[in-house]
Amino acid sequence: MRIAVCQINSRDDQTANLSTARGLLSEAAAGGADLAVLPEYVDYLGTAERLPPPEPVDGTVGSFFADAARELGIWVVVGSFHERGPDPAHTYNTCLVFDRRGELAASYRKIHLYDVEIPGRVSYRESSNVAPGTDPVVVDCDGVRLGLSICYDLRFPELYRRLAVDGDAQVLVVPAAFMVHTGRDHWEVLLRARAIENQCYVLAAGQIGQHEPARTCFGRSMVVDPWGTVLAQAPDTTGVVLADLDLHRLATIRAELPSLANRRL
């Protein structure tokens, strides 16, 4: 299976964001990708005041990417978008997966929300306007099992163990908008750790560059193999990185180093 991770600088113009994302998906398809992964909040990253009204899964954003998947004949992981939430004050941070026909194959609502309070330095509470999801999700993609996650989920290894063990995931998908100050030290380390400990490929598609209000995303979208080797990494710009997944290699690694089979807890 050939995959593409797409790196984008989403801003506070949803129409422009979707247009850029569509161009990256076309580039991925032209490169022979069977599956393309977009970053977290590909639809909008900006101030709350300019955020378009959140939509259901089959709204404008969902329909846009369903059409793209069908027209290009590829699987599309919409890293996440602002889904209409359980009440007017909260949205869901939701990942969508569309198959080659443009049919919705799976949706996943981000479980772990980024709440941090460091007096005098950082005050950010994602839970103030986002409601958490509750259920891990694995989806079959042309016979390959994809485990879904979003950004801050990456710091919670128990989620990925459930995806790999209970869901039989072979590939872990991590769309993100990782901040620069944490990304430069933790992004690659955590991605490689999740790949090694679960003996899965990891597909990490990140936001890049400046976003309002006053945030900078790290980028460095990458593909990691089940041994923890980085197969491909994006430069610090908008673009697409392609890689081929070797499921025979995955099976060999799991057979020769059977850590999943040997677990006792």
Side-chain angles (χ1 to χ4, degrees):
M1 173 179 280
R2 173 161 286 191
I3 60 86
V5 290
C6 303
Q7 186 163 275
I8 190 173
N9 175 231
S10 296
R11 304 298 292 269
D12 59 359
D13 184 335
Q14 186 180 87
T15 299
N17 295 336
L18 297 184
S19 177
T20 300
R22 182 59 171 81
L24 295 178
L25 293 177
S26 295
E27 184 178 341
D34 300 291
L35 165 72
V37 182
L38 292 159
E40 180 182 22
Y41 283 151
V42 67
D43 62 325
Y44 181 90
L45 263 181
T47 61
E49 292 74 21
R50 297 193 62 182
L51 174 68
E55 303 175 340
V57 167
D58 60 355
T60 301
V61 174
S63 297
F64 178 90
F65 287 110
D67 291 345
R70 184 182 64 255
E71 292 163 6
L72 296 171
I74 63 173
W75 286 76
V76 174
V77 177
V78 182
S80 80
F81 84 112
H82 296 79
E83 182 192 1
R84 184 180 299 162
D87 58 67
H90 292 83
T91 63
Y92 290 115
N93 187 345
T94 303
C95 175
L96 304 176
V97 182
F98 294 101
D99 68 17
R100 297 178 189 273
R101 299 169 299 173
E103 299 292 329
L104 182 66
S107 61
Y108 164 72
R109 291 169 174 165
K110 185 179 181 181
I111 292 174
H112 299 99
L113 303 181
Y114 184 55
D115 287 354
V116 60
E117 187 73 43
I118 305 175
R121 291 178 55 197
V122 178
S123 177
Y124 185 85
R125 292 188 61 81
E126 187 175 14
S127 64
S128 66
N129 52 32
V130 177
T134 57
D135 301 317
V137 176
V138 178
V139 59
D140 189 282
C141 171
D142 287 353
V144 178
R145 301 283 290 170
L146 303 181
L148 305 182
S149 67
I150 301 172
C151 200
Y152 192 50
D153 284 333
L154 183 59
R155 295 186 180 274
F156 299 86
E158 61 273 20
L159 170 62
Y160 296 90
R161 183 50 55 98
R162 287 188 62 181
L163 295 173
V165 173
D166 298 340
D168 296 321
Q170 299 159 292
V171 176
L172 304 171
V173 181
V174 189
F178 236 68
M179 304 298 287
V180 164
H181 73 282
T182 54
R184 62 192 175 199
D185 293 323
H186 297 168
W187 174 243
E188 182 175 328
V189 174
L190 289 171
L191 292 171
R192 295 178 68 190
R194 298 297 86 86
I196 293 166
E197 67 198 8
N198 295 295
Q199 300 183 315
C200 288
Y201 281 95
V202 172
L203 315 181
Q207 291 278 354
I208 182 74
Q210 299 288 329
H211 312 267
E212 296 297 332
R215 62 186 294 172
T216 305
C217 288
F218 185 62
R220 302 291 173 90
S221 302
M222 68 180 72
V223 180
V224 185
D225 80 0
W227 194 253
T229 302
V230 177
L231 300 182
Q233 185 178 90
D236 296 335
T237 186
T238 295
V240 173
V241 173
L242 296 161
D244 294 312
L245 307 188
D246 183 348
L247 298 182
H248 176 72
R249 173 166 169 74
L250 184 150
T252 299
I253 288 171
R254 289 185 173 185
E256 294 182 352
L257 181 60
S259 58
L260 289 179
N262 291 343
R263 73 189 187 281
R264 300 183 68 181
L265 295 175

